[in-house]
Amino acid sequence: MTSAKASTTTGPPSRLTAVVTGASSGIGRATAQRLVADGWQVLAVARREERLRTLAEETGCAVLGVDITDDESVAALVDRAAELFGDTLNTVVHVAGGALGVEPVAEADLGKWQGMYETNVLGALRVTRALLPALRRSGRGDVLFVTSVAAHEAYPGGSGYNAAKAGEHMLARALRLELNGEKVRVIEIAPGMVRTEEFSLVRLGDQDAADAVYDGVEDPLTAEDCADVISYALNAPHHVNLDLVTVRPLAQAAAHRIARHHGV
């Protein structure tokens, strides 16, 4: 894919640097915005380049159209990160992914399962493998995975997403063990119910059905809430590793237990 015009200059970084995937909407977009506000140099990537251009205009971050399921596209990401940040990189934030469908196992759509695995697991793996050398060279590296409570709690109709996010969770856990003793943290943020403009709409394919997910729920999480947690984890002293943070709205006690119309 072609790249959207970057709005930062190339050359060695003078600040902490980050690549944020899935940055065209939701948690990825909010994270890119927050890290720029924190003083980081950010390369925000996603497939939808028009949205990235808007993000670049609003924040001054660099942007690039990237399909994390494509090897050539990820290779272009590596080249662009090197142009912007030099030989090193501090952080990769994996947000790209998402859920498709709510079919039970007996009616599973294998295409949807494959799509979720390709983005949530193999996409995160592909980007991590490609950028890990630069993270290691930085002497202050982070790989942050935004998974989900679905990685840790099964629920009816969630089997495909449960499986994909559990796979991403295990990727994070194995990587942390493999990097033990090196200056690279591996962080997992597992959000519960987050109301964004697209997550439930993409999953369900219908706006009314998407709105019903949040019906009667007082104050579901926002993308900005998640970005706050991500910012805290990344800006903490580098000897402090938040291995796993589960963040939910007060109204949600578990993936399948949510207070509705209770005025909590």
Side-chain angles (χ1 to χ4, degrees):
M1 298 177 67
T2 59
S3 65
K5 184 178 180 181
S7 57
T8 62
T9 58
T10 60
S14 58
R15 297 167 287 166
L16 291 172
T17 59
V19 169
V20 179
T21 74
S24 61
S25 65
I27 296 173
R29 191 177 197 280
T31 298
Q33 292 173 318
R34 176 57 186 268
L35 291 181
V36 170
D38 288 344
W40 290 59
Q41 288 183 262
V42 174
L43 173 55
V45 305
R47 288 178 295 180
R48 292 177 293 184
E49 297 184 55
E50 184 59 40
R51 290 193 175 206
L52 291 176
R53 283 191 284 269
T54 301
L55 177 64
E57 291 168 359
E58 292 174 354
T59 66
C61 71
V63 297
L64 183 71
V66 173
D67 180 353
I68 64 169
T69 69
D70 181 80
D71 288 334
E72 291 185 4
S73 191
V74 172
L77 166 59
V78 174
D79 291 343
R80 186 62 178 133
E83 290 174 2
L84 288 167
F85 307 140
D87 194 41
T88 67
L89 174 68
N90 294 115
T91 295
V92 177
V93 182
H94 293 291
V95 186
L100 298 171
V102 291
E103 296 84 2
V105 170
E107 301 168 15
D109 183 320
L110 294 184
K112 290 179 180 178
W113 277 62
Q114 183 171 350
M116 286 185 281
Y117 197 83
E118 285 284 350
T119 54
N120 292 286
V121 183
L122 296 183
L125 169 61
R126 187 177 282 106
V127 173
T128 298
R129 183 180 63 181
L131 292 174
L132 188 56
L135 292 169
R136 281 172 152 157
R137 287 191 295 266
S138 74
R140 190 197 186 283
D142 295 313
V143 186
L144 189 150
F145 297 86
V146 178
T147 61
S148 170
V149 296
H152 307 274
E153 305 170 15
Y155 55 90
S159 57
Y161 191 50
N162 290 144
K165 282 301 184 184
E168 189 178 6
H169 164 66
M170 283 300 175
L171 170 60
R173 288 191 63 180
L175 181 64
R176 187 179 299 114
L177 293 171
E178 292 163 359
L179 295 177
N180 183 237
E182 299 188 42
K183 297 296 185 181
V184 181
R185 298 183 296 190
V186 179
I187 300 163
E188 179 183 352
I189 308 298
M193 177 179 279
V194 184
R195 184 164 197 166
T196 64
E197 68 271 27
E198 292 188 338
F199 180 85
S200 291
L201 179 60
V202 170
R203 183 175 197 174
L204 302 174
D206 177 82
Q207 188 63 62
D208 288 340
D211 291 341
V213 171
Y214 311 100
D215 182 48
V217 179
E218 184 170 346
D219 296 328
L221 296 179
T222 66
E224 290 73 22
D225 292 329
C226 296
D228 284 346
V229 177
I230 292 167
S231 170
Y232 181 88
L234 295 178
N235 286 299
H238 203 255
H239 70 283
V240 177
N241 197 110
L242 301 187
D243 284 17
L244 171 62
V245 178
T246 302
V247 53
R248 312 179 199 263
L250 179 59
Q252 184 180 35
H256 60 286
R257 187 169 183 82
I258 301 168
R260 298 180 187 271
H261 308 287
H262 282 239
V264 297

